[in-house]
Amino acid sequence: MRSFNLYTHEWIDNLNFTFKPQDFLPDSGSYIQVAKKLFKNAGWNGDGEIQLIWVPPFMLSSGFTLNEEALGMIIWHVKQEGDGISWLFSPKKKFPPIRH
C-alpha cells in the first residue's frame, strides 16, 4: 500500500458500493492502520470510515485479459466527514479513458 497513488475527489456520495475491509481481509486491522497513517500523512483529517471499493476488470483494460487485471482492483477509500472529500489510494497511476 505504501507504493499506491493518492487521489482526492469531491464528492463520492453513493457509498453503496464500498465494503468493510474486515469482510475481506483476515488481518484487516494492520492494513487499516497502514491506510490511516498514509491518509493522515497526505492530509486527511482522520474522520470517516476506511472502506474498500472494487473496480471491475472491464474498467481497467480495453481488451480481454487473462492476467491479474482480470480480477479487478481494490481501492482504499475514506470519505472525510468534515467536508465530504473522498481520499483514495490506488495501485494504478491512472485509469484508461472511457470509450464511447
Side-chain angles (χ1 to χ4, degrees):
M1 288 174 51
R2 288 179 175 86
S3 66
F4 282 17
N5 301 284
L6 173 73
Y7 300 92
T8 58
H9 185 75
E10 268 186 301
W11 291 270
I12 297 176
D13 289 333
N14 184 348
L15 301 178
N16 292 317
F17 301 99
T18 58
F19 306 96
K20 295 179 182 204
Q22 54 269 33
D23 291 343
F24 297 95
L25 298 168
D27 185 20
S28 64
S30 62
Y31 287 100
I32 292 169
Q33 290 306 314
V34 171
K36 281 183 180 181
K37 182 178 180 181
L38 293 171
F39 281 130
K40 284 183 180 181
N41 288 346
W44 172 53
N45 289 341
D47 58 357
E49 181 182 0
I50 293 178
Q51 299 174 317
L52 304 175
I53 297 174
W54 176 66
V55 179
F58 62 82
M59 295 296 296
L60 303 172
S61 175
S62 59
F64 185 78
T65 181
L66 293 174
N67 61 22
E68 65 185 31
E69 279 192 349
L71 300 174
M73 179 177 54
I74 298 296
I75 296 175
W76 288 81
H77 169 263
V78 64
K79 182 173 176 136
Q80 194 161 264
E81 292 175 3
D83 58 10
I85 301 290
S86 283
W87 294 79
L88 305 113
F89 272 117
S90 167
K92 196 162 183 82
K93 285 194 179 192
K94 62 186 204 180
F95 294 88
I98 296 174
R99 295 181 186 10
H100 299 285

